[in-house]
Amino acid sequence: MFDAPFFRRWLTATAAAVDREAERLTELDSPIGDADHGSNLRRGFRAVAAVLEKEAPDTPGAVLTLAGRQLISTVGGASGPLYGTLLRRTGKELGDALEVDRALFAAALRHGVDAVAALGGAAPGDKTMLDALFPGIDALDGPSGSFGAAREAALQGALATVPLQARKGRASYLGERSIGHQDPGATSSALLFEALAETAEGVGGSREGSRG
C-alpha cells in the first residue's frame, strides 16, 4: 500500500530528476520547441518539492492535487497545464483514501493520462508526452504490471519519438523537419516514471510502498 509520504517522496524524486536533466531537456527542446522545457519544469518541480515540504498533505490524493496546482501556477506555456492536469486529475480520482494499492493508483493515473490527451487534443504517435505516458501506464496497469516495467516502457516510448513527425504542439509547425529529434515532453514524462520506480524500489526512500 502507498500512502501520502510515498507520493511526496515520488514527487521530490521527480524534482531531483528534472533538476538533473534540465539542461538536456532544454537541448532537446531547442530544435523543435521554445528551448525552455527544462528550465520551465525545473522551476515548477522545485516549487512542488518546496510546497510539499511545507504543507505535507496527509492523503495521496491531496499530495497530487496540491502538486498539480503548483505546477499550473508556476510553469508557463503548455507544460504547466498539461503536467498539472495529469497530477490533479489523478489526485481527484484517488479521493480521500489514506492508502492506495498499485491497481487503484494505476487506474487513477490512467484517468490523468486521458485528461492530458483530452486537454491537448493529442493521441499516441503525435510526438508528444503521451508517447511516454501511455506506454508507461499500460505497463503499470493490470495484474502483471509493475513500476519497473512502467519505467522501461516510458523510456522506450520517449526514444521511439525520434523518427516521428510531430502532429501537435509547436514542433508540428516544422513538419518533416521535426523528424529525427526526441520529443522533450515524452522525455520528461519518462523521468516521472523513472522517479516512481526508484521510489517504489526504495532508492532514496523505503522499499515498495510506504512502510518498508
Side-chain angles (χ1 to χ4, degrees):
M1 297 295 283
F2 305 94
D3 60 6
F6 172 85
F7 285 90
R8 292 201 301 270
R9 287 197 298 275
W10 169 35
L11 295 176
T12 300
T14 300
V18 168
D19 195 69
R20 183 183 68 243
E21 298 291 336
E23 292 185 6
R24 177 170 170 261
L25 293 174
T26 292
E27 287 177 2
L28 292 174
D29 194 32
S30 295
I32 59 174
D34 295 324
D36 59 2
H37 189 63
S39 57
N40 279 342
L41 281 192
R42 170 186 274 165
R43 180 173 63 255
F45 274 99
R46 280 180 174 177
V48 167
V51 76
L52 290 178
E53 183 176 358
K54 179 180 179 181
E55 297 191 21
D58 58 2
T59 68
V63 169
L64 296 179
T65 301
L66 176 59
R69 288 203 306 267
Q70 196 71 2
L71 287 173
I72 291 172
S73 65
T74 57
V75 180
S79 297
L82 291 170
Y83 271 102
T85 294
L86 174 67
L87 297 181
R88 287 183 64 187
R89 181 58 187 271
T90 302
K92 181 179 179 182
E93 292 295 328
L94 291 178
D96 297 327
L98 292 175
E99 295 181 326
V100 299
D101 60 19
R102 180 178 57 81
L104 180 58
F105 171 52
L109 185 57
R110 186 176 292 282
H111 281 286
V113 174
D114 288 341
V116 170
L119 179 62
D126 284 344
K127 201 181 181 87
T128 72
M129 61 194 291
L130 294 176
D131 289 309
L133 290 178
F134 272 114
I137 189 59
D138 287 345
L140 181 63
D141 206 358
S144 60
S146 73
F147 292 110
R151 170 176 51 196
E152 181 61 22
L155 173 60
Q156 293 306 316
L159 295 174
T161 62
V162 174
L164 298 178
Q165 178 174 330
R167 293 196 292 258
K168 291 291 180 181
R170 193 174 188 282
S172 65
Y173 301 149
L174 299 177
E176 293 184 352
R177 286 182 293 151
S178 65
I179 296 174
H181 301 280
Q182 185 170 324
D183 183 69
T187 305
S188 59
S189 293
L191 291 178
L192 200 69
F193 280 102
E194 178 182 331
L196 179 61
E198 290 182 353
T199 304
E201 291 164 356
V203 177
S206 63
R207 292 197 61 79
E208 182 86 7
S210 58
R211 298 168 177 159

